[in-house]
Amino acid sequence: EAGVTQFPSHSVIEKGQTVTLRCDPISGHDNLYWYRRVMGKEIKFLLHFVKESKQDESGMPNNRFLAERTGGTYSTLKVQPAELEDSGVYFCASSQDRQTSYNEQFFGPGTRLTVL
Amino acid sequence: GEDVEQSLFLSVREGDSSVINCTYTDSSSTYLYWYKQEPGAGLQLLTYIFSNMDMKQDQRLTVLLNKKDKHLSLRIADTQTGDSAIYFCAESMEDTGRRALTFGSGTRLQVQP
């Protein structure tokens, strides 16, 4: 079974440009999460989808970031316009929908974004 | 508030035990996790512990939880060169319905042959 995949693996853009990151979760996983790690610091939560709905977007830094998950399958994260401080590694994760407590999140390899 | 802290770097010799430490501040955490990230790969869940447990052992891995001090540790017995990676501590509060994980900055483990 394929794991979580992310595209591209690396993106280099100039300040002010737009970038779109894509995440394909594990098939059948209703939950999809975006996280990012900036400059070797902690990995921070951005948002959580359940199917196509945004369940929790408390970690989104500002309105330059737009996440979508049309049809409840893959998700995109668009940064427009990109700023220098947006550089980092963006991770996507997915998990099954379980009613009880523990719920393992499976992570993709990440997209390394460099804004010059 | 949510804050998870880890030391940045640990170096051990092959065959020794490694102990990676983590402290957290949110007393309402329900699960605590250890994730491993190898170069170029995503995060892989190594093990987790429920907050009402003190210890969990899984082959070479031992997790200790001290709720009073909000301290979590991961011990790797007989450390191998393949254990070299970044280890992240994380917490979640599943009973609030919130599924987001709160991570530390990661500890880079270097295993010397």
Side-chain angles (χ1 to χ4, degrees):
Chain A
E1 178 182 340
V4 177
T5 58
Q6 294 186 245
F7 182 83
S9 57
H10 194 179
S11 179
V12 181
I13 60 173
E14 292 188 350
K15 175 183 172 181
Q17 290 186 321
T18 297
V19 63
T20 300
L21 314 182
R22 173 172 170 143
C23 168
D24 286 79
I26 292 173
S27 178
H29 281 193
D30 287 338
N31 295 281
L32 188 148
Y33 313 80
W34 284 99
Y35 295 84
R36 74 172 177 177
R37 188 182 190 211
V38 174
M39 290 192 62
K41 294 186 177 179
E42 67 273 19
I43 299 170
K44 287 199 168 184
F45 167 78
L46 296 178
L47 88 159
H48 168 208
F49 282 101
V50 177
K51 297 184 181 178
E52 67 274 10
S53 300
K54 292 176 184 174
Q55 181 77 10
D56 180 355
E57 51 184 330
S58 61
M60 294 289 266
N62 52 61
N63 59 10
R64 296 186 294 104
F65 289 76
L66 175 64
E68 294 181 324
R69 192 182 182 195
T70 306
T73 55
Y74 71 91
S75 174
T76 57
L77 179 65
K78 180 191 288 188
V79 185
Q80 179 182 27
E83 298 289 344
L84 299 179
E85 63 264 26
D86 300 332
S87 296
V89 181
Y90 289 76
F91 292 101
C92 176
S94 71
S95 68
Q96 290 181 320
D97 186 26
R98 292 184 183 174
Q99 297 303 315
T100 56
S101 56
Y102 168 66
N103 192 316
E104 180 177 358
Q105 296 183 22
F106 295 84
F107 281 77
T111 293
R112 181 175 294 276
L113 175 64
T114 303
V115 183
L116 302 176
Chain B
E2 301 173 354
D3 194 10
V4 178
E5 295 187 354
Q6 303 178 234
S7 54
L8 292 180
F9 186 75
L10 175 65
S11 179
V12 300
R13 291 195 176 276
E14 190 174 19
D16 288 349
S17 291
S18 307
V19 179
I20 302 171
N21 295 299
C22 169
T23 57
Y24 59 97
T25 56
D26 201 315
S27 58
S28 58
S29 297
T30 51
Y31 284 96
L32 294 122
Y33 309 81
W34 284 103
Y35 278 84
K36 175 184 181 182
Q37 185 189 21
E38 297 184 61
L43 283 75
Q44 173 196 0
L45 179 65
L46 281 180
T47 186
Y48 67 94
I49 188 167
F50 188 51
S51 57
N52 69 354
M53 297 170 63
D54 298 323
M55 186 184 82
K56 182 178 181 181
Q57 188 155 2
D58 183 3
Q59 300 181 338
R60 293 190 299 121
L61 305 179
T62 303
V63 179
L64 295 177
L65 175 60
N66 181 329
K67 282 180 290 185
K68 174 177 173 290
D69 295 336
K70 297 190 179 69
H71 183 265
L72 181 75
S73 68
L74 173 69
R75 178 177 180 269
I76 305 173
D78 187 23
T79 313
Q80 302 298 306
T81 54
D83 295 325
S84 293
I86 302 176
Y87 291 80
F88 292 92
C89 168
E91 62 177 354
S92 69
M93 287 155 281
E94 301 280 345
D95 60 353
T96 65
R98 190 163 185 260
R99 297 294 181 88
L101 295 174
T102 301
F103 286 90
S105 301
T107 299
R108 182 177 295 276
L109 174 64
Q110 180 180 42
V111 183
Q112 299 176 357

